[in-house]
Amino acid sequence: MPFNIPNSLTWARIALIPIFVGVYYLPGTWLSDHERNLIAAGIFIVAAVTDWFDGYLARTLHQTSAFGAFLDPVADKLMVAAALIMLVQLSRVDAILAVIIIGREITISALREWMAKLGEASSVAVAFVGKLKTAAQMTAIPLLLYNARLFGFEVRPLGTFLIWVAAALTLWSMGYYLRKAAPRFREE
């Protein structure tokens, strides 16, 4: 495993997950609900920014690696899954949305691994619809975590709308990737 700045940022994202979840399990006398939500949203935003930043640094500093390419999406999926599970527990996201989003991530990860073994990883490379899904998801989650007024604006309805958009784009992108791999399904 190469030790470099991008991989260190990815490991830091993974290390933030138990802290992120733990915020909601601290005694009520330590933090108010608003403080919990603010800290959790902040941690999630830091994780999202480091996700972009580690990829940028890997390319800029020429520190890309096979391990980094493997670990980065794992860290993303772990953070998103942890956030969605917490949001379901907090009754801010319907469980079906979490199942759709997490289930798609597992399915597409397995599909990409299988296609890579067949030497056809490029046929299921990240598509624009996947990037739209990620943008909607990474905007919705911190809004739903924060769950309060921001600059006089109630953010939860926007977060709820965007998580539904993310779920719809999740299904659309999953269909897109499965169609791209369909010829291989028929061969196997």
Side-chain angles (χ1 to χ4, degrees):
M1 167 184 72
F3 180 78
N4 57 37
I5 295 169
N7 285 351
S8 298
L9 288 173
T10 302
W11 279 114
R13 256 193 347 270
I14 292 170
L16 284 174
I17 295 168
I19 297 167
F20 166 80
V21 172
V23 163
Y24 286 104
Y25 287 91
L26 291 173
T29 56
W30 291 16
L31 296 171
S32 69
D33 286 343
H34 177 71
E35 290 167 332
R36 288 176 206 282
N37 293 335
L38 179 62
I39 292 168
I43 291 170
F44 189 88
I45 290 167
V46 166
V49 169
T50 60
D51 176 33
W52 174 84
F53 201 53
D54 68 14
Y56 171 79
L57 287 176
R59 289 183 300 276
T60 303
L61 301 174
H62 306 288
Q63 294 183 344
T64 58
S65 67
F67 182 76
F70 156 76
L71 190 62
D72 182 65
V74 170
D76 300 342
K77 289 164 183 42
L78 289 171
M79 181 56 95
V80 167
L84 288 171
I85 291 166
M86 288 308 305
L87 288 168
V88 168
Q89 183 174 339
L90 295 166
S91 299
R92 297 180 197 165
V93 167
D94 289 330
I96 189 67
L97 297 176
V99 169
I100 288 169
I101 293 169
I102 295 169
R104 179 263 188 207
E105 296 303 337
I106 293 167
T107 302
I108 299 308
S109 292
L111 178 67
R112 284 190 175 128
E113 183 178 335
W114 179 64
M115 293 297 283
K117 286 182 181 179
L118 298 175
E120 296 189 30
S122 62
S123 66
V124 286
V126 177
F128 184 69
V129 67
K131 292 180 182 192
L132 284 176
K133 181 264 313 172
T134 299
Q137 187 174 276
M138 295 305 212
T139 304
I141 290 172
L143 292 174
L144 291 165
L145 289 168
Y146 184 67
N147 195 42
R149 298 182 77 76
L150 184 64
F151 305 115
F153 178 73
E154 191 65 47
V155 299
R156 187 169 177 175
L158 178 59
T160 300
F161 172 76
L162 287 174
I163 203 70
W164 278 95
V165 168
L169 290 170
T170 291
L171 292 173
W172 182 12
S173 68
M174 186 169 72
Y176 171 83
Y177 293 124
L178 290 172
R179 278 192 309 277
K180 296 287 278 184
R184 291 304 299 215
F185 291 149
R186 288 190 277 278
E187 292 172 13
E188 297 293 320

